[in-house]
Amino acid sequence: MRKWILCFAALALVLGGAIGCSSDEPTDEGGTAEQEAQPLKIGSLSPLTGPYAADGNDIANGVRAAISVVEEQGGIPGYSEIEFLPQDSACDPKQAVAAANKLVNEKVKGVVGAYCSSSTIPASEVIVAEAGIPMLTPASTNENVTERGLQNMWRVCGRDDDQAVVAVQFMQDFLDAKTLYIVDDKTTYSQGLADNVERLAKEQGLEVIEHDHVNQGDKDFSAVLTKIKDVQPDVFYMSLQNSSTGALMLIQADRMDIGADIVAQDAVYHPQLIEIAKDAANGVYLTFGYIDESTEAYKEFKEAYAEYGEPGAYSGYAYDSATVLLKAIEQAGSTDPQALREAILGMDFQGATKHISFKENGDSGSNYIIRQVQDGKFANYWNPATGETY
């Protein structure tokens, strides 16, 4: 009898060992069965402090809103919850790289970010090129973000070369401009966009009187505005990295009675521009992506975002970016980078900001229109597809 008991005990140990070993077998996502029961970690990179914090916190809140929608719908199968790790890039390349390394060390499975192209590009070298983790930017419009051959670098917003086309088309076809004065603040984004506008304007026969520059952090723009007033261009093209700086420039331009039409761009498109500049913002034109606020997807986003206040410029794009990432993980049943790339390339759905689908290079296409500040609010103004006002 004792002999049989010992045999049974030995058999139980063998089976137990086998069961224990099976729990450490890799799953199809490169993890283990035990890991599948853990939280799914995703991160974000955006400026949460400093002069660009308004847009940066909008981006983090957009991701939070997307997570809340997915969790209300039952979450992602195989994961106990979705853990969000927002990191502060401060629109500083070195800080962005440090934050990117932190997210990699935390073993996130995807990142939404960053905001400034000058941060997105170096951070993606760590997150995408070295670690193979998918990264989806909701706000970085510089062409080079998706022109470096990175297989999991995705862009949900538009591109600057497309944005420049609409800006120049509007100046020439609608404003009937003949002369142009360009100012940027020397960032990768703002100068890259301004360079595109300058090149296209010259190709279209517009005279670029001067392409001038200010520095990030400047508060006094009297020197450059005095030059603009002296030469009296038809259009003053303002390419700046953030809305608070744009508001200060508009206030000072209004005080100096600059007579030119002012055309700005997506980075200064934010409720903060109107809150700070007030009447000085009225009449300003801006390029920004068209958003159909009548869709069910936008209404769902607006409801999910309500606890954070009114959406900022890139809240919806961040919401869509996080939605793409979470949909891809669920559809692929995996966090393997190649499986996620295939799932993202197969996306075809109506997002909060646009219809979502992607090209091989990671772009999702541009749909820029001209908006105008009218009576203290942003309004759709000119449709480049028709050449008509809304």
Side-chain angles (χ1 to χ4, degrees), residues 24-272:
D24 290 334
E25 287 295 322
T27 67
D28 62 352
E29 68 179 63
T32 68
E34 290 181 351
Q35 287 172 333
E36 284 185 327
Q38 298 300 310
L40 170 64
K41 292 184 178 182
I42 67 170
S44 73
L45 274 176
S46 61
L48 303 177
T49 58
Y52 313 109
D55 281 306
N57 283 287
D58 289 342
I59 288 171
N61 288 335
V63 177
R64 290 186 178 99
I67 291 172
S68 71
V69 170
V70 172
E71 289 192 326
E72 284 178 7
Q73 294 172 347
I76 305 292
Y79 295 96
S80 59
E81 62 177 333
I82 302 169
E83 184 178 342
F84 180 41
L85 290 82
Q87 297 297 312
D88 186 3
S89 65
C91 269
D92 175 77
K94 290 183 179 178
Q95 184 162 331
V97 168
N101 276 304
K102 183 175 181 180
L103 287 172
V104 171
N105 291 337
E106 289 282 357
K107 302 186 185 305
V108 298
K109 302 305 181 186
V111 176
V112 174
Y115 170 67
C116 299
S117 297
S118 53
S119 293
T120 303
I121 291 172
S124 64
E125 294 293 331
V126 175
I127 294 170
V128 185
E130 296 177 12
I133 298 170
M135 184 171 174
L136 302 94
T137 179
S140 296
T141 51
N142 185 273
E143 302 94 281
N144 289 327
V145 169
T146 51
E147 292 296 332
R148 293 166 294 146
L150 298 184
Q151 292 297 294
N152 259 319
M153 181 72 240
W154 309 94
R155 176 177 6 228
V156 176
C157 57
R159 292 169 52 119
D160 284 341
D161 45 359
D162 296 328
Q163 184 170 194
V165 168
V166 172
V168 172
Q169 183 184 351
F170 176 69
M171 295 175 204
Q172 189 168 47
D173 294 351
F174 188 83
L175 297 178
D176 195 27
K178 300 293 187 294
T179 58
L180 173 64
Y181 198 109
I182 300 172
V183 175
D184 69 55
D185 61 8
K186 302 180 185 176
T187 62
T188 300
Y189 155 75
S190 68
Q191 189 163 354
L193 175 57
D195 288 344
N196 276 321
V197 168
E198 179 181 7
R199 175 179 55 79
L200 288 169
K202 289 178 176 176
E203 289 176 3
Q204 298 297 321
L206 274 72
E207 179 187 357
V208 178
I209 297 174
E210 188 163 346
H211 182 165
D212 218 333
H213 311 278
V214 295
N215 298 303
Q216 288 189 80
D218 283 354
K219 305 291 186 187
D220 180 3
F221 304 109
S222 56
V224 69
L225 292 173
T226 297
K227 290 197 286 184
I228 294 172
K229 186 171 184 178
D230 287 345
V231 298
Q232 297 184 12
D234 293 329
V235 171
F236 164 29
Y237 185 74
M238 190 173 76
S239 183
L240 303 175
Q241 184 67 67
N242 75 90
S243 54
S244 58
T245 304
L248 290 178
M249 189 172 280
L250 291 178
I251 291 169
Q252 294 172 35
D254 185 58
R255 288 174 182 163
M256 294 180 66
D257 197 23
I258 300 291
D261 286 315
I262 299 177
V263 179
Q265 24 62 291
D266 59 332
V268 300
Y269 182 92
H270 192 278
Q272 183 174 254

Side-chain angles (χ1 to χ4, degrees), residues 329-349:
I329 292 171
E330 182 172 10
Q331 290 176 10
S334 167
T335 55
D336 173 76
Q338 183 57 35
L340 291 181
R341 173 175 166 77
E342 292 172 4
I344 291 173
L345 279 174
M347 292 282 166
D348 186 8
F349 70 97

Side-chain angles (χ1 to χ4, degrees), residues 273-347:
L273 179 80
I274 299 171
E275 292 167 7
I276 297 173
K278 298 184 170 55
D279 289 346
N282 278 328
V284 171
Y285 303 106
L286 309 99
T287 44
F288 199 78
Y290 174 75
I291 296 175
D292 184 353
E293 297 184 3
S294 69
T295 66
E296 290 302 316
Y298 185 85
K299 292 174 183 174
E300 183 179 55
F301 151 68
K302 192 80 180 291
E303 182 179 352
Y305 196 86
E307 67 177 287
Y308 308 110
E310 284 297 311
Y314 287 102
S315 305
Y317 289 99
Y319 175 90
D320 280 342
S321 299
T323 300
V324 168
L325 175 62
L326 295 174
K327 276 180 176 286
I329 292 171
E330 182 172 10
Q331 290 176 10
S334 167
T335 55
D336 173 76
Q338 183 57 35
L340 291 181
R341 173 175 166 77
E342 292 172 4
I344 291 173
L345 279 174
M347 292 282 166

